Amino acid sequence: MSDGGPEESGGAVGLPSRRRRPTPMSQWNPTARLSYWAFHTNRRPSYMRFAYLQLGSDAAAEDAVDATFDSIMDEWLRMLHMDRLDAYAWTLLKQRLVDRQRQRGTGPDPTDISAFEAALKEATADRYEVLTDTIRFYSAVSRLAERQRDAVLLRYGLQCTPGEAAAVMGVDEATVRSQLGQAHRRLARLLDTSAES
């Protein structure tokens, strides 16, 4: 049976198949409806926060997350049979974010202007130096591998625990911890290099 899951793509989670029309929710059994709404309630807040970090506006984030849940709803009955339902949903979110960035003519940018503003408000030292350090940090984060960047943004940008980040991404906590460790080492090298420039 082919579901576009990790087995077919060498570990990457595939995107939805458009070969058949989705079954309307009104035709789902009560358990399927309940499980969809439970997933929606559980994941929407973290998806919104992550989308805002990527897109920088509430409206754009809401648009991307709504489109994500529309896709999830279309695929839900099939997703219920997947081993990595959360990972598949995360892939759908990431694709919708890329779609929105393309529509706006911007590339992936994991910076949130409010992070710069907060850093400036909390600065007790030279504000210019704090801003420069913050820009260097976000520039270095943008150079991480995608999964490392996601783990860093969830862990530090959204204050998720490694377990919470793992649940949102649909991976094991050990995977998130490994990605964070790799990200820390890469960030240390990138920041050390940029400080020398």
Side-chain angles (χ1 to χ4, degrees):
M1 179 174 189
S2 171
D3 69 1
E7 308 77 44
E8 287 183 20
S9 55
V13 180
L15 292 174
S17 165
R18 297 291 176 216
R19 286 179 246 147
R20 59 187 177 283
R21 297 183 71 104
T23 304
M25 187 182 276
S26 61
Q27 294 177 14
W28 295 4
N29 68 47
T31 304
R33 277 196 300 269
L34 185 62
S35 65
Y36 171 81
W37 288 114
F39 182 83
H40 183 279
T41 299
N42 185 275
R43 291 290 179 257
R44 185 173 174 83
S46 51
Y47 281 16
M48 282 294 296
R49 291 172 33 222
F50 186 82
Y52 179 80
L53 278 178
Q54 296 294 313
L55 301 173
S57 91
D58 289 332
E62 188 163 357
D63 185 44
V65 171
D66 286 347
T68 299
F69 278 105
D70 287 347
S71 295
I72 291 171
M73 185 184 298
D74 289 348
E75 297 288 323
W76 188 251
L77 296 179
R78 189 171 70 89
M79 287 173 68
L80 288 173
H81 300 285
M82 292 180 180
D83 291 334
R84 303 295 252 181
L85 181 147
D86 286 311
Y88 186 79
W90 182 251
T91 300
L92 292 174
L93 172 65
K94 297 289 301 233
Q95 185 58 51
R96 295 307 158 263
L97 293 173
V98 168
D99 293 346
R100 293 309 176 266
Q101 289 164 336
R102 283 188 188 135
Q103 288 172 356
R104 293 170 40 198
T106 62
D109 182 12
T111 60
D112 170 11
I113 192 67
S114 64
F116 293 119
E117 293 168 355
L120 286 175
K121 284 179 187 172
E122 294 176 9
T124 55
D126 179 13
R127 287 178 174 231
Y128 176 76
E129 187 176 320
V130 171
L131 180 59
T132 302
D133 288 346
T134 304
I135 291 170
R136 280 182 47 238
F137 175 74
Y138 278 109
S139 175
V141 169
S142 72
R143 294 173 60 193
L144 294 173
E146 182 179 2
R147 290 192 180 255
Q148 292 173 7
R149 187 172 57 242
D150 290 351
V152 166
L153 291 174
L154 286 166
R155 176 71 179 103
Y156 302 107
L158 301 181
Q159 305 301 311
C160 292
T161 66
E164 290 166 341
V168 169
M169 294 172 68
V171 297
D172 298 326
E173 185 174 343
T175 301
V176 169
R177 289 185 185 281
S178 172
Q179 291 166 346
L180 288 170
Q182 292 168 11
H184 289 158
R185 289 187 293 279
R186 175 106 169 109
L187 285 171
R189 286 192 304 273
L190 290 170
L191 292 171
D192 187 45
T193 301
S194 66
E196 294 171 1
S197 307

